[in-house]
Amino acid sequence: MGASRPVVMAALPTEPIGSLPRSAELIEARKAFLMGQLGKSELDAICEEAVRDTILRFEATGSPVVCDGEQGKFHNFASYTIDGSENTCPDGFILKFVAGHERLFPLLTGGPFRYTNHADRYLQLAQQYTRLPVKQAVIAPSFQSLFYP
């Protein structure tokens, strides 16, 4: 057997996008908000801190691009645009994924269908905490039209 050769690692280009796990504090704050025990401004402050922390952690990895980890998109990745809308109710439908997880989609109770949240809101917040390029996950209207025709 010959001597082992050193392993040479090549740089692996990466660009993060999508959801990252939320902190226990943010999860508990969202629960308290939904139960009426925490105000919107307090929840927003905790969410903003989670975004700041996520971005700082991404920067620490040396990543050339960062994302907010979708820390503020509480409901789910596909219906954040109508989260909090007055013409929805939580008694919607469940989308089951092959990987075993599920997402609840709120039910529209009347028209018109309008976004209450836009992705640029999340992007602007993230950009306050970095000078690096920021990727922002945006749900395609064509995907939402499958559920909200």
Side-chain angles (χ1 to χ4, degrees):
M1 299 220 175
S4 63
R5 291 190 250 168
V7 176
V8 178
M9 301 293 286
L12 178 63
T14 62
E15 290 189 10
I17 191 70
S19 298
L20 294 173
R22 291 170 179 85
S23 69
E25 179 185 18
L26 184 55
I27 292 168
E28 291 304 314
R30 177 64 175 176
K31 287 179 188 176
F33 172 74
L34 292 173
M35 294 172 54
Q37 300 168 343
L38 187 70
K40 178 88 167 87
S41 60
E42 292 88 3
L43 176 63
D44 288 346
I46 294 168
C47 181
E48 185 169 339
E49 174 54 27
V51 168
R52 186 191 69 77
D53 181 62
T54 298
I55 290 172
L56 290 176
R57 288 172 183 250
F58 261 125
E59 287 182 343
T61 69
S63 179
V65 178
V66 297
C67 75
D68 66 359
E70 296 188 295
Q71 299 296 311
K73 294 176 183 170
F74 294 111
H75 193 275
N76 75 53
F77 74 97
S79 66
Y80 71 88
T81 57
I82 60 170
D83 192 26
S85 176
E86 293 181 10
N87 62 339
T88 64
C89 72
D91 302 331
F93 59 93
I94 295 175
L95 179 63
K96 295 183 179 193
F97 290 82
V98 173
H101 61 290
E102 302 174 343
R103 293 292 182 265
L104 175 65
F105 283 76
L107 180 67
L108 285 176
T109 58
F113 177 85
R114 297 273 190 266
Y115 287 172
T116 53
N117 298 296
H118 297 87
D120 63 336
R121 165 184 148 200
Y122 303 101
L123 176 63
Q124 290 167 359
L125 175 62
Q127 288 175 323
Q128 292 178 26
Y129 296 105
T130 187
R131 293 178 186 257
L132 293 174
V134 176
K135 270 198 164 183
Q136 182 59 56
V138 178
I139 191 61
S142 60
F143 181 79
Q144 281 193 323
S145 72
L146 297 172
F147 309 114
Y148 305 115

